[in-house]
Amino acid sequence: MAHEINIPDNLRKEEKYSVLRGALASLISDETDITAILSNVSAAIQETFNFLWVGFYLVKDKELVLGPFQGPVACFRIKFGDGVCGASWKNNKSIIVPDVDKFPGHIACSSKSKSEIVIPIRKENKVFAILDIDSSNYNDFEEADEKYLKEIIKIIEKKLD
């Protein structure tokens, strides 16, 4: 059975997120494997917005370990509190970085990355994973991205219960 998410390019960002959220809810509704779910979520976000990198880092022991992603080769492991992803995990909150070179301790997995947004995914009130999205443009993320990505995260979190 073919699964495609076709979101017109001429929609505004908020409209794209709204359509994507509904499409993802439908796409993953019958799937139980979290790796499969995260794989298709990263692909759908990448395909819709053409960001440089979209992926997940999973909490394993005392570090974040690279999970499903779309984009260039990435860092394998990130320590608790290190970089943008590690800071998001440590503080259990989303972070928007308009210019990654100005973020103290930023980990440069790709020199093409200019801005970033990271959002924690929680299971039983603990950080389970981090959604990490990098753009090759400065200032590419805003509150609207955070709002709609958090709605997508809620769909994923329901699958973790």
Side-chain angles (χ1 to χ4, degrees), residues 2-159:
H3 295 288
E4 290 184 29
I5 297 178
N6 294 310
I7 299 174
D9 288 335
N10 63 344
L11 296 179
R12 292 180 336 197
K13 181 191 289 189
E14 292 83 359
E15 293 171 321
K16 286 182 179 183
Y17 275 120
S18 183
V19 173
L20 179 61
R21 180 186 61 226
L24 284 172
S26 176
L27 178 68
I28 69 172
S29 64
D30 294 331
E31 184 54 60
T32 58
D33 184 89
I34 194 62
T35 301
I37 289 168
L38 297 180
S39 296
N40 268 337
V41 169
S42 62
I45 294 171
Q46 170 63 25
E47 187 174 337
T48 301
F49 293 100
N50 198 30
F51 292 126
L52 174 66
W53 197 91
V54 178
F56 297 91
Y57 280 94
L58 307 174
V59 174
K60 294 190 179 185
D61 298 320
K62 297 183 181 183
E63 61 188 352
L64 294 170
V65 178
L66 181 63
F69 74 94
Q70 298 285 311
V73 170
C75 300
F76 283 109
R77 296 172 185 273
I78 299 172
K79 293 180 182 173
F80 183 76
D82 286 359
V84 182
C85 291
S88 175
W89 176 24
K90 179 180 180 180
N91 298 312
N92 195 4
K93 69 175 193 171
S94 302
I95 301 173
I96 296 174
V97 182
D99 181 346
V100 296
D101 293 328
K102 294 181 180 175
F103 188 89
H106 175 257
I107 300 168
C109 295
S110 170
S111 62
K112 294 177 184 175
S113 178
K114 303 299 180 200
S115 62
E116 185 171 3
I117 185 170
V118 296
I119 301 175
I121 300 170
R122 297 170 186 89
K123 179 180 180 180
E124 299 170 357
N125 295 318
K126 291 184 179 179
V127 176
F128 170 82
I130 299 290
L131 168 61
D132 180 14
I133 303 177
D134 292 14
S135 174
S136 55
N137 302 312
Y138 292 106
N139 298 304
D140 215 10
F141 302 105
E142 57 192 12
E143 288 180 16
D145 296 281
E146 181 179 6
K147 173 188 171 188
Y148 288 101
L149 288 168
K150 281 183 173 181
E151 291 178 6
I152 291 170
I153 294 302
K154 286 179 186 174
I155 296 167
I156 295 170
E157 288 174 338
K158 287 179 184 174
K159 302 300 282 187

